[in-house]
Amino acid sequence: MKEYTIAITGASGVVYGVRLIEKLLELNNKINVIVSNSGKIVLEEEMDFKYQNDKELFKINFLSFFKDNNNLCYYEIDDMMAPIASGSHKTDCMVVIPCSMSTLAAINNGLSKNLLERAADVTMKEGRKLILVPRETPFNTIHLKNMMELSQWGVKILPAMPGFYNNPTTLDDIISFIVGKTMDLMGIENDVYKRWAGQ
Ligand SMILES: Cc1cc2nc3c(=O)[nH]c(=O)nc-3n(C[C@H](O)[C@H](O)[C@H](O)COP(=O)(O)O)c2cc1C
């Protein structure tokens, strides 16, 4: 069984993170989940997850959303005692999806001031794969600089930029494109999205 850390931050497109978790659970993986406080607000806004500034209420709603959540470990963003705060706890890879510009900046500067930032820092220091799925438009120079520097440290930047060459007809097709591309980068075989087969 592989173990992945999936973090959802307060950028638009939280559905990408939720779908990725669903797919990874279907494939019988262990998932550590961290949702930033702004991520909780956007999940309430975009997907109707009840938060109302109540972490316990959010946790119950979030966990009950996933049909089979036995392999889902939910950690609060301020839980610095969680196993994933230490490099001695082995995980296969970490994905921040979607990744806000705020979290992107914090990771690039090694702030480690909450569990999400610390887990990303640990992933980098241990030489494990870290994938960020940034979402913002347009990008300013600070965003671009942070992404360039992270890329130079070996972090994979997979912007939430769906392609249209596979002729999507539904919103689901567009979401699946980003989720499938993320799984490709994680090294997970999948047929989540329609691939280009040439002409
Ligand atoms: C509905 C909503 C949508 C947002 N969308 C984005 C976004 O797409 N990208 C982004 O960088 N920030 C976005 N923000 C702002 C972030 O949530 C804000 O910068 C926050 O401090 C990020 O904190 P976090 O990185 O801890 O989640 C959005 C905020 C709200 C309320």
Side-chain angles (χ1 to χ4, degrees), residues 21 24 32 34 49 76 101 106 132 143 163 169 180 189 195:
I21 294 168
L24 296 177
N32 305 308
I34 312 164
F49 280 84
E76 284 301 345
M101 295 304 104
L132 307 183
H143 305 151
T169 53
E189 285 296 324
R195 294 168 191 278

Side-chain angles (χ1 to χ4, degrees), residues 159-175:
M161 288 180 185
F164 289 81
Y165 56 80
N166 58 351
N167 304 120
T169 53
T170 64
L171 193 54
D172 218 52
D173 292 339
I174 292 171
I175 297 164

Side-chain angles (χ1 to χ4, degrees), residues 5 34 77-89 94 103 106-107 110-126 128 130:
T5 299
I34 312 164
I77 187 96
D78 53 4
D79 181 4
M80 294 302 265
M81 298 298 278
I84 49 175
S86 168
S88 63
H89 180 83
M94 176 171 175
T103 291
I107 295 173
L111 298 189
S112 294
K113 65 182 175 1
N114 61 40
L115 180 62
L116 193 166
E117 294 169 14
R118 170 66 184 163
D121 196 71
V122 162
T123 303
M124 288 170 77
K125 86 180 170 77
E126 298 297 333
R128 299 176 193 146
L130 174 63

Side-chain angles (χ1 to χ4, degrees), residues 56-84:
E56 271 309 307
L57 175 72
F58 177 83
K59 181 179 175 182
I60 292 165
N61 275 287
F62 187 84
L63 287 174
S64 63
F65 178 85
F66 300 95
K67 278 187 213 90
D68 181 7
N69 62 17
N70 289 336
N71 294 332
L72 198 57
C73 293
Y74 180 95
Y75 295 106
E76 284 301 345
I77 187 96
D78 53 4
D79 181 4
M80 294 302 265
M81 298 298 278
I84 49 175

Side-chain angles (χ1 to χ4, degrees), residues 12-186:
S12 189
V14 284
V15 67
Y16 294 127
V18 170
R19 286 289 166 78
L20 178 63
I21 294 168
E22 281 180 325
K23 290 291 168 201
L24 296 177
L25 288 175
E26 272 170 35
L27 295 171
N28 206 30
N29 295 293
K30 183 182 172 199
I31 314 295
N32 305 308
V33 177
I34 312 164
V35 183
S36 73
N37 291 331
S38 297
K40 295 179 180 83
I41 292 171
V42 182
L43 276 158
E44 186 165 52
E45 192 63 32
E46 296 186 346
M47 293 189 76
D48 276 343
F49 280 84
K50 280 214 166 29
Y51 173 36
Q52 295 163 5
N53 220 12
D54 179 340
K55 288 180 184 176
E56 271 309 307
L57 175 72
F58 177 83
K59 181 179 175 182
I60 292 165
N61 275 287
F62 187 84
L63 287 174
S64 63
F65 178 85
F66 300 95
K67 278 187 213 90
D68 181 7
N69 62 17
N70 289 336
N71 294 332
L72 198 57
C73 293
Y74 180 95
Y75 295 106
E76 284 301 345
I77 187 96
D78 53 4
D79 181 4
M80 294 302 265
M81 298 298 278
I84 49 175
S86 168
S88 63
H89 180 83
K90 286 193 173 172
T91 57
D92 289 284
C93 127
M94 176 171 175
V95 186
V96 185
I97 175 170
C99 183
S100 72
M101 295 304 104
S102 166
T103 291
L104 187 92
I107 295 173
N108 190 37
N109 286 284
L111 298 189
S112 294
K113 65 182 175 1
N114 61 40
L115 180 62
L116 193 166
E117 294 169 14
R118 170 66 184 163
D121 196 71
V122 162
T123 303
M124 288 170 77
K125 86 180 170 77
E126 298 297 333
R128 299 176 193 146
K129 194 180 283 181
L130 174 63
I131 302 170
L132 307 183
V133 181
R135 212 305 317 179
E136 186 50 277
T137 196
F139 289 130
N140 66 29
T141 308
I142 300 172
H143 305 151
L144 292 166
K145 176 180 165 285
N146 283 329
M147 282 187 268
M148 186 197 69
E149 287 178 357
L150 283 161
S151 169
Q152 287 171 335
W153 316 138
V155 175
K156 299 304 285 184
I157 306 290
L158 191 156
M161 288 180 185
F164 289 81
Y165 56 80
N166 58 351
N167 304 120
T169 53
T170 64
L171 193 54
D172 218 52
D173 292 339
I174 292 171
I175 297 164
S176 296
F177 182 90
I178 297 299
V179 171
K181 291 287 284 186
T182 305
M183 290 173 77
D184 283 352
L185 214 48
M186 294 171 81

